[in-house]
Amino acid sequence: MPSNVRSRARERNSVLSRPEFMSLNHQPLCGGGPTESRGSSKRLGQLKHQTSQQSEEPTDRGSKDRRESNKMPEEDCMQLNPSFKGIAMNSLLAIDICLSKRMGVCAYTSSSWGGCRSMVALLALTGHGITWIIGTIVCLTRSNTLAGQEVLVNLLLALILDVMTVAGVQRLVKRRGPWEMTPSFLDCVAMDLYSFPAAHASRAAMVSKFLLSHLVLAVPLRILLVLWAFLVGMSRVLLGKHHLTDMVCGFALGMLHFSLMETVWLSSNTCQTLISISTLSWSPFF
């Protein structure tokens, strides 16, 4: 029996003396064991944290991309709990767009009133800024009276003021028309590129009020002049160029231009000076 126990102990020692089992023979130091285990656990925790962050970064980026792609444009988003004023404004704008689209019966030749498009376009041309500016200059060159020249010079300044003001407001607002149309050549020359406010309506209202105030006209001509101004504004809505609110605001802006020109009305002497400067016949010494 003792010989068997000794042989088994020798075999066990020979097995433990193999290279792959050498680490089992070394006992850890008394002072360094716990600290080394803690340090290794900390390093393992840091490695796990870094790997988890690296694995989460692509997922976070993917989720952010998905959220950005799923975001709707601001104009298509609906506000939660909107105010009464916001609801009223959105409702009025929706009604305005719907009615304006329905009234654009001459927008294209294939529209319901496409056969009348040329006539409506000709009516709108009578309220164009270039038409009125050229016509006023021609009348001014043929006028021989001081009173007539005074009225025509102030009308020319009012037309220039109307064109510049409407172009500036349109550039600020940049509202598109009910139908997507490219501006014509005359519209580009007159800087009538956007929908709000309606330049033709503003000009027609200002010119009609100006002529009614400074010309002696019979009652039928006065009625026709007011009717012409209204039809010019409506022609642009029928052509699909403007909304109804653009036309209404254009009429209001035209009346404002008339009031402003009445406030800064140029006298006859000032108008004669401007005419002399424009014809290069003015001399400050004589």
Side-chain angles (χ1 to χ4, degrees):
M1 290 295 293
S3 61
N4 293 332
V5 172
R6 289 175 185 174
S7 61
R8 289 177 185 174
R10 289 173 185 173
E11 290 177 359
R12 187 180 300 169
N13 292 331
S14 63
V15 171
L16 293 176
S17 62
R18 293 181 183 178
E20 57 267 24
F21 297 108
M22 290 295 291
S23 61
L24 298 177
N25 296 329
H26 298 283
Q27 294 181 356
L29 296 175
C30 297
T35 56
E36 289 181 359
S37 61
R38 290 176 186 173
S40 60
S41 63
K42 287 182 180 179
R43 285 193 292 271
L44 288 174
Q46 290 177 357
L47 290 173
K48 289 181 180 179
H49 182 65
Q50 290 177 359
T51 53
S52 63
Q53 283 183 346
Q54 292 176 358
S55 61
E56 285 176 359
E57 281 181 358
T59 56
D60 291 341
R61 290 175 185 173
S63 61
K64 287 181 182 178
D65 294 338
R66 287 192 217 101
R67 289 172 190 168
E68 291 178 357
S69 62
N70 291 332
K71 281 183 180 179
M72 298 293 290
E74 292 182 0
E75 56 189 10
D76 295 336
C77 293
M78 295 182 64
Q79 297 179 355
L80 296 177
N81 299 325
S83 61
F84 176 76
K85 183 179 179 181
I87 294 174
M89 289 297 295
N90 291 332
S91 301
L92 290 176
L93 287 176
I95 293 172
D96 178 35
I97 294 173
C98 181
L99 290 178
S100 302
K101 282 183 174 290
R102 289 188 177 184
M103 293 184 67
V105 292
C106 300
Y108 301 98
T109 54
S110 59
S111 302
S112 56
W113 288 15
C116 303
R117 177 178 169 80
S118 58
M119 296 179 60
V120 177
L122 183 61
L123 178 61
L125 185 61
T126 60
H128 203 280
I130 302 300
T131 305
W132 274 97
I133 289 175
I134 293 175
T136 304
I137 293 174
V138 171
C139 293
L140 184 60
T141 57
R142 296 188 177 184
S143 178
N144 297 322
T145 63
L146 295 178
Q149 291 177 355
E150 179 184 353
V151 172
L152 290 171
V153 168
N154 283 278
L155 177 59
L156 180 61
L157 294 177
L159 289 170
I160 295 174
L161 174 65
D162 179 82
V163 170
M164 299 302 292
T165 305
V166 171
V169 176
Q170 285 186 355
R171 288 296 180 91
L172 288 176
V173 179
K174 292 184 179 181
R175 187 186 188 189
R176 297 292 182 180
W179 300 94
E180 291 294 333
M181 295 181 178
T182 55
S184 62
F185 174 75
L186 290 178
D187 291 339
C188 293
V189 172
M191 296 179 290
D192 188 8
L193 303 177
Y194 295 98
S195 177
F196 181 88
H200 288 67
S202 174
R203 196 167 304 111
M206 187 269 295
V207 168
S208 61
K209 183 65 176 176
F210 191 95
L211 296 179
L212 289 173
S213 299
H214 297 284
L215 295 181
V216 180
L217 301 174
V219 175
L221 291 178
R222 288 176 173 269
I223 296 174
L224 287 177
L225 192 58
V226 174
L227 183 62
W228 165 81
F230 175 75
L231 290 178
V232 167
M234 283 298 300
S235 65
R236 299 287 287 180
V237 178
L238 296 176
L239 291 172
K241 298 285 187 177
H242 297 285
H243 299 87
L244 286 173
T245 51
D246 302 335
M247 180 188 68
V248 174
C249 292
F251 285 145
L253 187 60
M255 299 303 292
L256 181 62
H257 289 158
F258 169 76
S259 301
L260 182 61
M261 283 306 303
E262 289 294 313
T263 304
V264 296
W265 184 267
L266 300 182
S267 63
S268 179
N269 294 330
T270 306
C271 292
Q272 292 302 314
T273 303
L274 292 176
I275 293 173
S276 301
I277 293 173
S278 62
T279 56
L280 301 179
S281 61
W282 177 71
S283 176
F285 302 104
F286 299 99

